Amino acid sequence: MLRSLWTSASGMIAQQTHLDVVTHNLANVNTTGYKKRRADFEDLMYQIGREPGSPIEPDSLVPTGVQVGLGTRVIATPSFMVQGSFQITDGALDWAINGEGAFFQVNLGNGQIGYTRSGTWQIDDQGQIVDENGLLLEPAITVPNNADSITLSPTGVVSVHVGDETELQELGQIQLARFVNPSGLRAAGDRIFLETPASGEPIVGNPGEDGMPTVVQNAFEMSNVQVVEEMVEMIVAQRAYEANSKGIQTADDLLRIANGLKR
């Protein structure tokens, strides 16, 4: 059996995964805080027909040898944590992180902390600040029922104005988390990332301190997907898929010719 059949098949499978990643990016082009992904490839093992550097004469060596590769596969789909553009809103609970590499923290309710770039918050029936899925902001902040307005400072201090008071009432301090390797976080869906051994442990701090970015009120971060780039990637994946399918057709033609030979 010709090796090219299986080599081309591996290329078609890899390009299918490539297309899956591209279409996932396009599907989330309007998802708040979404971070695009990319498919990375590696070549598979090689069959060595002649080892490079093998001696052929007492004073001569094979300069390159014979090495035939057996295809490709997807080795990683890293996230790109580049900051997306901001959408300005009138929502007092629309918050954005003004910088890359840091995340809001949410309590997942099972002892785990999730990390997200989405800053569209709500207030639940207990007055607690939660995300759109009802997950509590970590550290928890509770807004009193008689609050007239909510204010977020660039350093993450949440305050409210109550009744006839002239001064703002401070409710709590937002803390952000960053990681040595944010691409190593595991995507859990719902715009939530989870800590993994590859990401390292979270480094928690207040916005604007120790290298942490500041936060912005009345804005949220949009997806960092560029539609034009994804369309180009889709074309590249399609053409590579077609080229690999041609390789299978050509290998099949060669086998047909060989099977048709007469003595």
Side-chain angles (χ1 to χ4, degrees):
M1 185 63 68
L2 293 176
R3 283 180 302 220
S4 54
L5 282 171
W6 301 104
T7 300
S8 295
S10 74
M12 293 180 71
I13 293 171
Q15 293 307 322
Q16 179 62 61
T17 304
H18 185 190
L19 184 60
D20 291 341
V21 173
V22 171
T23 53
H24 181 69
N25 288 338
L26 288 171
N28 286 280
V29 68
N30 289 321
T31 300
T32 305
Y34 174 78
K35 298 304 176 187
K36 69 167 287 184
R37 289 184 172 271
R38 181 189 69 195
D40 290 342
F41 304 89
E42 70 171 359
D43 49 349
L44 297 180
M45 64 178 294
Y46 288 78
Q47 290 185 333
I48 308 299
R50 173 183 268 186
E51 192 72 36
S54 299
I56 53 177
E57 292 183 5
D59 297 324
S60 300
L61 299 176
V62 174
T64 58
V66 178
Q67 304 174 77
V68 180
L70 299 180
T72 186
R73 68 176 176 179
V74 175
I75 186 61
T77 55
S79 292
F80 283 80
M81 297 300 177
V82 176
Q83 184 171 352
S85 58
F86 286 174
Q87 176 68 53
I88 305 302
T89 73
D90 295 326
L93 288 173
D94 288 337
W95 303 341
I97 300 174
N98 190 20
E100 299 177 8
F103 301 84
F104 293 112
Q105 303 177 92
V106 292
N107 191 326
L108 301 180
N110 58 358
Q112 280 188 303
I113 298 297
Y115 306 93
T116 180
R117 291 286 296 194
S118 175
T120 51
W121 305 98
Q122 308 288 335
I123 298 177
D124 67 6
D125 59 340
Q126 303 297 319
Q128 302 174 106
I129 297 179
V130 298
D131 71 0
E132 293 169 312
N133 293 312
L135 300 177
L136 286 171
L137 176 67
E138 180 69 27
I141 297 177
T142 301
V143 179
N145 294 333
N146 57 348
D148 298 330
S149 62
I150 301 174
T151 302
L152 175 70
S153 73
T155 55
V157 177
V158 180
S159 307
V160 294
H161 180 266
V162 177
D164 297 329
E165 296 182 5
T166 56
E167 295 185 358
L168 296 176
Q169 177 183 336
E170 186 175 315
L171 299 181
Q173 170 73 55
I174 290 177
Q175 289 189 318
L176 303 179
R178 56 187 172 88
F179 295 86
V180 174
N181 176 28
S183 293
L185 293 168
R186 181 169 74 85
D190 297 328
R191 300 168 294 185
I192 300 294
F193 293 95
L194 300 177
E195 173 191 346
T196 70
S199 68
E201 295 183 355
I203 303 168
V204 179
N206 296 335
E209 298 180 3
D210 299 324
M212 286 289 184
T214 56
V215 290
V216 179
Q217 190 178 20
N218 302 118
F220 61 80
E221 183 181 359
M222 301 175 67
S223 168
N224 65 354
V225 174
Q226 298 293 327
V227 175
V228 173
E229 292 180 0
E230 300 306 316
M231 296 303 293
V232 171
E233 285 293 326
M234 185 180 295
I235 294 171
V236 170
Q238 179 183 359
R239 296 308 180 202
Y241 190 91
E242 291 176 353
N244 279 284
S245 70
K246 292 294 185 183
I248 291 179
Q249 292 175 6
T250 303
D252 181 54
D253 289 341
L254 293 178
L255 286 172
R256 178 178 54 79
I257 293 170
N259 288 334
L261 291 177
K262 299 186 182 293
R263 293 181 181 272

